[in-house]
Amino acid sequence: MTARIVAVSRDTGHAFSKPLEPSIRLLAGLGIEGDAHCGVTVKHRSRVAVDPTQPNLRQVHFIHEELLNELNAAGFNVAPGRMGENITTRGIDLLGLPVGARLKLGESAEVEITGLRNPCAQIEAFRPGLLKAVLGRDAEGRLVRKAGIMGIVLAGGDIRPGDAITVTLPAQPHRALDRV
């Protein structure tokens, strides 16, 4: 199966959920045009409070549709964009990608993966019990964050649902994703 974009979302405000759009424009070095998290420096309010000069490694948020299906099967009623992601994907193991993996989206956009989204209390406020559902443990007992991955825009372009996603892995050794 070819990896695809299922939905695209953006929001000018810092609301938890983002409305679906027919297309979004990625801007190199900045993020998504018209999104509250667009910019060279960090835009997430909790991080701005600590140090507003930090580089923005969270310009684009991806969630895989397979996670939404898992959550819906557990009774959470979560649709694309509702967990704050900009891009909902299908057919790609987002959580298995290494740091530095590059995703070509549509004709020209390219995003470099920087790390995992760290689920916060807003997820619990959105749907009680959801925070626990997006956190798990692996066979060795290590915490697994399933709420998506973050990236920075290397090359801009317009993307829309149905666009293909192509993955390019960085040189070995690969570094596993960690929260960013």
Side-chain angles (χ1 to χ4, degrees):
M1 173 185 357
T2 302
R4 296 266 176 217
I5 295 172
V6 173
V8 294
S9 308
R10 68 183 172 128
D11 192 4
T12 58
H14 285 276
F16 180 73
S17 296
K18 295 180 185 276
L20 297 178
E21 300 284 344
S23 68
I24 56 174
R25 175 166 292 155
L26 279 66
L27 305 172
L30 296 172
I32 296 167
E33 182 177 72
D35 192 77
H37 298 106
C38 186
V40 173
T41 56
V42 69
K43 302 300 177 200
H44 285 78
R45 291 182 289 189
S46 63
R47 292 165 190 249
V48 167
V50 173
D51 178 4
T53 66
Q54 296 175 71
N56 188 1
L57 302 178
R58 298 165 55 101
Q59 295 173 355
V60 182
H61 176 201
F62 295 84
I63 283 184
H64 47 296
E65 181 184 54
E66 294 83 354
L67 173 64
L68 300 182
N69 294 341
E70 174 187 323
L71 295 171
N72 287 332
F76 285 103
N77 188 26
V78 182
R82 299 291 290 156
M83 289 180 51
E85 77 275 12
N86 302 109
I87 301 171
T88 310
T89 67
R90 175 186 308 126
I92 181 171
D93 179 11
L94 295 178
L95 302 179
L97 294 172
V99 171
R102 293 181 177 195
L103 303 182
K104 183 174 184 284
L105 309 165
E107 292 182 23
S108 62
E110 188 173 5
V111 174
E112 181 177 321
I113 303 309
T114 56
L116 295 168
R117 175 190 188 185
N118 191 35
C120 64
Q122 286 182 318
I123 289 177
E124 189 65 17
F126 172 65
R127 297 274 190 273
L130 190 56
L131 181 60
K132 184 176 180 183
V134 297
L135 294 172
R137 298 276 174 191
D138 66 13
E140 287 79 41
R142 293 179 298 231
L143 185 64
V144 175
R145 293 171 176 87
K146 301 188 289 185
I149 63 172
M150 309 303 286
I152 57 172
V153 180
L154 299 178
D158 293 335
I159 62 169
R160 58 196 45 80
D163 282 351
I165 303 169
T166 305
V167 177
T168 303
L169 297 176
Q172 293 279 2
H174 290 162
R175 189 166 49 111
L177 295 176
D178 198 2
R179 66 184 175 154
V180 65

Coordinates of all heavy atoms in Angstrom, one line a residue, residues 103-168:
L103 N 10.1 13.1 4.9 CA 8.8 12.7 4.3 C 8.6 13.7 3.1 O 8.4 14.9 3.4 CB 7.7 12.8 5.2 CG 7.8 11.9 6.5 CD1 6.5 12.1 7.4 CD2 8.0 10.5 6.2
K104 N 8.5 13.2 1.9 CA 8.1 14.0 0.8 C 6.6 13.9 0.7 O 6.1 12.8 0.6 CB 8.8 13.5 -0.5 CG 8.4 14.4 -1.7 CD 9.2 14.0 -3.0 CE 8.9 14.9 -4.1 NZ 7.6 14.7 -4.7
L105 N 6.0 15.0 0.6 CA 4.5 15.1 0.7 C 4.0 15.8 -0.6 O 4.4 16.9 -0.9 CB 4.0 15.9 1.9 CG 4.6 15.5 3.2 CD1 4.4 16.6 4.3 CD2 4.0 14.2 3.7
G106 N 3.2 15.1 -1.4 CA 2.7 15.6 -2.6 C 3.8 15.8 -3.6 O 4.8 15.1 -3.7
E107 N 3.7 16.9 -4.4 CA 4.7 17.2 -5.4 C 6.0 17.7 -5.0 O 7.1 17.4 -5.5 CB 4.1 18.1 -6.5 CG 2.9 17.5 -7.3 CD 2.4 18.4 -8.3 OE1 3.1 19.3 -8.8 OE2 1.2 18.2 -8.7
S108 N 6.0 18.6 -4.0 CA 7.3 19.3 -3.6 C 7.6 19.5 -2.2 O 8.7 19.8 -1.8 CB 7.3 20.7 -4.3 OG 6.2 21.5 -3.8
A109 N 6.6 19.3 -1.3 CA 6.9 19.6 0.1 C 7.7 18.5 0.7 O 7.6 17.3 0.4 CB 5.6 19.7 0.9
E110 N 8.6 18.8 1.7 CA 9.4 17.9 2.4 C 9.6 18.3 3.8 O 9.9 19.5 4.1 CB 10.8 17.8 1.7 CG 11.6 16.6 2.3 CD 12.9 16.4 1.5 OE1 13.2 17.2 0.6 OE2 13.6 15.4 1.9
V111 N 9.4 17.3 4.7 CA 9.5 17.6 6.2 C 10.5 16.6 6.8 O 10.5 15.4 6.4 CB 8.1 17.4 6.9 CG1 8.2 17.4 8.4 CG2 7.1 18.4 6.3
E112 N 11.3 17.1 7.6 CA 12.3 16.3 8.4 C 11.7 16.0 9.8 O 11.3 16.9 10.5 CB 13.7 17.0 8.5 CG 14.7 16.1 9.2 CD 16.0 16.7 9.3 OE1 16.5 17.4 8.3 OE2 16.7 16.6 10.3
I113 N 11.7 14.7 10.2 CA 11.1 14.3 11.4 C 12.1 14.7 12.6 O 13.3 14.3 12.5 CB 10.8 12.8 11.4 CG1 9.8 12.6 10.3 CG2 10.2 12.4 12.8 CD1 8.6 13.5 10.2
T114 N 11.6 15.3 13.6 CA 12.5 15.8 14.7 C 12.2 15.0 16.0 O 13.1 14.9 16.8 CB 12.3 17.2 15.0 OG1 10.9 17.5 15.3 CG2 12.7 18.1 13.9
G115 N 11.0 14.4 16.2 CA 10.7 13.6 17.4 C 9.3 13.3 17.6 O 8.4 13.6 16.7
L116 N 9.0 12.8 18.8 CA 7.6 12.4 19.2 C 6.9 13.6 19.8 O 7.5 14.4 20.5 CB 7.7 11.3 20.2 CG 8.3 10.0 19.7 CD1 8.5 9.1 20.9 CD2 7.3 9.3 18.7
R117 N 5.6 13.6 19.6 CA 4.8 14.5 20.3 C 4.7 14.0 21.8 O 4.5 12.8 22.0 CB 3.4 14.6 19.7 CG 2.4 15.4 20.6 CD 1.0 15.3 20.1 NE 0.1 16.2 20.7 CZ -1.2 16.2 20.6 NH1 -1.7 15.3 19.7 NH2 -2.0 17.0 21.2
N118 N 4.8 14.9 22.7 CA 4.7 14.5 24.1 C 3.2 14.8 24.5 O 2.9 15.9 24.6 CB 5.7 15.2 25.0 CG 5.7 14.7 26.4 OD1 5.6 13.5 26.6 ND2 5.9 15.6 27.4
P119 N 2.4 13.7 24.7 CA 1.0 14.0 25.1 C 0.9 14.8 26.4 O 1.7 14.6 27.3 CB 0.4 12.6 25.2 CG 1.4 11.6 24.7 CD 2.7 12.3 24.7
C120 N 0.0 15.7 26.4 CA -0.2 16.6 27.6 C -1.6 16.5 28.1 O -2.4 15.8 27.6 CB 0.2 18.0 27.2 SG -1.0 18.7 26.0
A121 N -1.8 17.3 29.2 CA -3.1 17.3 29.8 C -4.3 17.7 28.9 O -5.4 17.3 29.2 CB -3.1 18.2 31.1
Q122 N -4.0 18.4 27.9 CA -5.1 18.9 27.0 C -5.7 17.6 26.3 O -6.9 17.7 26.0 CB -4.5 19.8 25.9 CG -4.2 21.2 26.4 CD -3.7 22.0 25.2 OE1 -2.9 21.6 24.4 NE2 -4.1 23.3 25.2
I123 N -5.0 16.6 26.1 CA -5.5 15.4 25.5 C -6.6 14.8 26.5 O -7.6 14.4 26.1 CB -4.4 14.3 25.2 CG1 -3.6 14.8 24.0 CG2 -5.0 13.0 24.9 CD1 -2.5 14.0 23.6
E124 N -6.3 14.8 27.8 CA -7.2 14.3 28.8 C -8.4 15.2 28.9 O -9.6 14.7 29.0 CB -6.5 14.2 30.1 CG -7.3 13.4 31.2 CD -7.5 11.9 30.8 OE1 -6.8 11.4 30.0 OE2 -8.4 11.4 31.5
A125 N -8.3 16.5 28.7 CA -9.4 17.4 28.8 C -10.3 17.2 27.6 O -11.5 17.4 27.7 CB -8.9 18.8 28.9
F126 N -9.7 16.9 26.4 CA -10.4 16.7 25.2 C -11.3 15.4 25.3 O -12.5 15.5 25.0 CB -9.5 16.5 24.0 CG -10.1 16.1 22.7 CD1 -11.0 17.0 22.1 CD2 -9.8 14.9 22.1 CE1 -11.6 16.6 20.9 CE2 -10.3 14.5 20.9 CZ -11.3 15.4 20.3
R127 N -10.8 14.3 25.8 CA -11.6 13.1 26.0 C -11.0 12.4 27.2 O -9.9 11.9 27.2 CB -11.4 12.1 24.8 CG -11.9 12.6 23.5 CD -13.4 12.3 23.3 NE -13.9 12.6 22.0 CZ -14.3 13.7 21.5 NH1 -14.3 14.8 22.3 NH2 -14.7 13.9 20.3
P128 N -11.8 12.3 28.3 CA -11.3 11.6 29.5 C -10.8 10.2 29.2 O -11.5 9.5 28.5 CB -12.5 11.7 30.4 CG -13.3 12.9 30.0 CD -13.1 12.9 28.5
G129 N -9.7 9.8 29.7 CA -9.1 8.5 29.4 C -8.2 8.4 28.2 O -7.5 7.5 28.0
L130 N -8.2 9.5 27.3 CA -7.5 9.5 26.1 C -5.9 9.5 26.4 O -5.2 8.9 25.7 CB -7.9 10.6 25.2 CG -7.3 10.6 23.8 CD1 -7.7 9.3 23.1 CD2 -7.9 11.8 23.0
L131 N -5.5 10.3 27.4 CA -4.1 10.4 27.7 C -3.5 9.0 27.9 O -2.5 8.6 27.4 CB -3.8 11.3 28.9 CG -2.4 11.5 29.3 CD1 -1.6 12.1 28.1 CD2 -2.2 12.4 30.5
K132 N -4.2 8.2 28.8 CA -3.7 6.8 29.0 C -3.7 6.0 27.8 O -2.8 5.2 27.6 CB -4.6 6.2 30.1 CG -4.1 4.8 30.5 CD -4.9 4.2 31.7 CE -4.4 2.9 32.0 NZ -5.2 2.3 33.1
A133 N -4.7 6.2 26.9 CA -4.8 5.4 25.7 C -3.7 5.7 24.7 O -3.3 4.9 23.8 CB -6.2 5.6 25.0
V134 N -3.1 6.9 24.7 CA -2.0 7.3 23.8 C -0.6 7.1 24.4 O 0.4 7.4 23.8 CB -2.2 8.7 23.2 CG1 -3.4 8.8 22.4 CG2 -2.1 9.8 24.3
L135 N -0.6 6.5 25.6 CA 0.6 6.2 26.3 C 0.6 4.7 26.5 O -0.4 4.1 26.9 CB 0.8 6.9 27.6 CG 1.0 8.4 27.5 CD1 0.9 9.0 28.9 CD2 2.3 8.8 26.8
G136 N 1.7 4.0 26.3 CA 1.8 2.6 26.6 C 3.2 2.2 27.0 O 4.0 3.1 27.3
R137 N 3.4 0.9 27.1 CA 4.7 0.4 27.5 C 5.1 -0.6 26.5 O 4.3 -1.4 26.0 CB 4.7 -0.2 28.9 CG 4.3 0.7 30.0 CD 5.5 1.5 30.5 NE 5.1 2.5 31.5 CZ 5.9 3.4 31.9 NH1 7.2 3.4 31.5 NH2 5.6 4.3 32.8
D138 N 6.4 -0.7 26.2 CA 6.9 -1.7 25.3 C 7.3 -3.0 26.1 O 7.1 -3.0 27.3 CB 8.1 -1.2 24.4 CG 9.3 -0.9 25.2 OD1 9.5 -1.3 26.4 OD2 10.2 -0.2 24.6
A139 N 7.8 -4.0 25.4 CA 8.2 -5.2 26.1 C 9.2 -5.1 27.2 O 9.2 -5.9 28.2 CB 8.7 -6.2 25.0
E140 N 10.0 -4.0 27.1 CA 11.0 -3.8 28.2 C 10.5 -2.8 29.3 O 11.2 -2.4 30.2 CB 12.3 -3.2 27.6 CG 13.1 -4.2 26.8 CD 12.6 -4.5 25.4 OE1 12.2 -3.5 24.8 OE2 12.5 -5.7 25.0
G141 N 9.2 -2.4 29.1 CA 8.6 -1.5 30.1 C 8.8 0.0 29.9 O 8.4 0.8 30.7
R142 N 9.4 0.3 28.7 CA 9.7 1.7 28.4 C 8.4 2.4 28.0 O 7.6 1.8 27.3 CB 10.8 1.9 27.4 CG 12.2 1.4 27.8 CD 13.2 1.5 26.7 NE 12.7 0.7 25.6 CZ 13.5 -0.2 25.0 NH1 14.8 -0.3 25.4 NH2 13.1 -1.0 24.1
L143 N 8.3 3.7 28.3 CA 7.1 4.4 27.9 C 7.1 4.6 26.4 O 8.1 4.9 25.7 CB 7.2 5.8 28.5 CG 6.0 6.7 28.3 CD1 4.7 6.1 28.9 CD2 6.2 8.1 28.9
V144 N 5.9 4.4 25.8 CA 5.7 4.6 24.4 C 4.7 5.7 24.2 O 3.5 5.6 24.7 CB 5.2 3.2 23.7 CG1 4.8 3.5 22.2 CG2 6.2 2.1 23.9
R145 N 5.1 6.7 23.5 CA 4.2 7.8 23.2 C 3.6 7.6 21.8 O 4.3 7.6 20.8 CB 5.0 9.1 23.2 CG 5.4 9.5 24.6 CD 6.4 10.7 24.5 NE 6.8 11.1 25.9 CZ 7.8 10.6 26.5 NH1 8.6 9.6 26.0 NH2 8.1 11.0 27.7
K146 N 2.3 7.5 21.7 CA 1.6 7.2 20.4 C 0.9 8.4 19.8 O 0.2 8.2 18.8 CB 0.6 6.0 20.6 CG 1.3 4.8 21.1 CD 0.3 3.6 21.1 CE -0.8 3.7 22.2 NZ -1.7 2.6 22.2
A147 N 1.0 9.6 20.4 CA 0.2 10.7 19.9 C 0.8 11.5 18.7 O 0.4 12.6 18.5 CB 0.0 11.7 21.1
G148 N 1.7 10.8 18.0 CA 2.1 11.4 16.7 C 3.6 11.9 16.8 O 4.3 11.7 17.8
I149 N 4.0 12.4 15.7 CA 5.4 12.9 15.5 C 5.4 14.3 15.0 O 4.4 14.8 14.5 CB 6.2 12.0 14.6 CG1 5.6 12.0 13.2 CG2 6.2 10.5 15.1 CD1 6.5 11.3 12.1
M150 N 6.6 14.9 15.2 CA 6.8 16.3 14.9 C 7.9 16.5 13.8 O 8.7 15.6 13.7 CB 7.1 17.2 16.1 CG 6.2 16.9 17.3 SD 4.5 17.3 17.0 CE 4.5 19.1 17.0
G151 N 7.8 17.6 13.1 CA 8.9 17.8 12.1 C 9.0 19.2 11.7 O 8.2 20.1 12.1
I152 N 10.1 19.5 10.9 CA 10.3 20.8 10.4 C 10.3 20.8 8.9 O 10.6 19.8 8.3 CB 11.7 21.4 10.9 CG1 12.8 20.4 10.4 CG2 11.7 21.6 12.4 CD1 14.2 21.0 10.7
V153 N 9.8 21.9 8.3 CA 9.7 22.0 6.8 C 11.0 22.3 6.2 O 11.6 23.4 6.4 CB 8.6 23.0 6.5 CG1 8.4 23.0 4.9 CG2 7.3 22.7 7.1
L154 N 11.5 21.4 5.3 CA 12.7 21.6 4.5 C 12.4 22.3 3.2 O 13.1 23.1 2.7 CB 13.4 20.3 4.3 CG 13.9 19.6 5.5 CD1 14.6 18.3 5.1 CD2 14.8 20.4 6.4
A155 N 11.3 21.8 2.6 CA 10.8 22.4 1.3 C 9.4 22.6 1.3 O 8.6 21.7 1.7 CB 11.2 21.4 0.1
G156 N 8.9 23.8 0.8 CA 7.5 24.1 0.9 C 6.7 23.6 -0.3 O 7.3 23.0 -1.2
G157 N 5.4 23.7 -0.2 CA 4.5 23.3 -1.2 C 3.1 23.1 -0.7 O 2.9 23.1 0.6
D158 N 2.2 23.0 -1.6 CA 0.8 22.7 -1.2 C 0.6 21.2 -1.1 O 1.0 20.5 -2.0 CB -0.2 23.3 -2.2 CG -0.1 24.9 -2.2 OD1 0.3 25.5 -1.2 OD2 -0.4 25.4 -3.3
I159 N -0.2 20.8 -0.1 CA -0.5 19.4 0.1 C -2.0 19.3 0.3 O -2.6 20.2 0.8 CB 0.3 18.7 1.1 CG1 0.1 19.3 2.5 CG2 1.8 18.7 0.8 CD1 0.7 18.5 3.7
R160 N -2.5 18.1 0.0 CA -4.0 17.8 0.2 C -4.2 16.4 0.4 O -3.3 15.5 0.2 CB -4.7 18.3 -1.0 CG -4.3 17.7 -2.3 CD -4.8 18.4 -3.6 NE -4.7 19.9 -3.6 CZ -3.5 20.5 -3.9 NH1 -2.4 19.8 -4.2 NH2 -3.5 21.8 -3.9
P161 N -5.4 16.0 0.9 CA -5.8 14.6 1.1 C -5.6 13.9 -0.2 O -5.9 14.4 -1.3 CB -7.2 14.7 1.6 CG -7.4 16.0 2.2 CD -6.5 16.9 1.4
G162 N -5.1 12.7 -0.1 CA -4.9 11.8 -1.3 C -3.5 11.9 -1.8 O -3.0 11.0 -2.6
D163 N -2.7 12.9 -1.4 CA -1.3 13.0 -1.9 C -0.5 11.9 -1.3 O -0.7 11.4 -0.2 CB -0.7 14.4 -1.4 CG -1.1 15.6 -2.3 OD1 -1.7 15.4 -3.3 OD2 -0.8 16.7 -1.9
A164 N 0.5 11.5 -2.1 CA 1.4 10.4 -1.7 C 2.4 10.9 -0.7 O 2.8 12.1 -0.7 CB 2.1 9.8 -2.9
I165 N 2.9 10.0 0.1 CA 4.0 10.3 1.0 C 5.2 9.3 0.7 O 5.0 8.1 0.6 CB 3.6 10.0 2.5 CG1 2.4 10.9 2.8 CG2 4.8 10.3 3.4 CD1 1.8 10.5 4.2
T166 N 6.4 9.9 0.5 CA 7.5 9.0 0.2 C 8.5 9.3 1.4 O 8.8 10.4 1.8 CB 8.2 9.4 -1.1 OG1 7.2 9.3 -2.1 CG2 9.4 8.5 -1.4
V167 N 9.1 8.2 1.9 CA 10.0 8.2 3.1 C 11.4 8.1 2.6 O 11.7 7.1 1.8 CB 9.7 7.1 4.1 CG1 10.7 7.2 5.2 CG2 8.3 7.3 4.6
T168 N 12.3 8.9 3.1 CA 13.8 8.8 2.9 C 14.4 8.7 4.2 O 14.2 9.6 5.1 CB 14.4 9.9 2.1 OG1 13.7 10.1 0.8 CG2 15.9 9.7 1.8

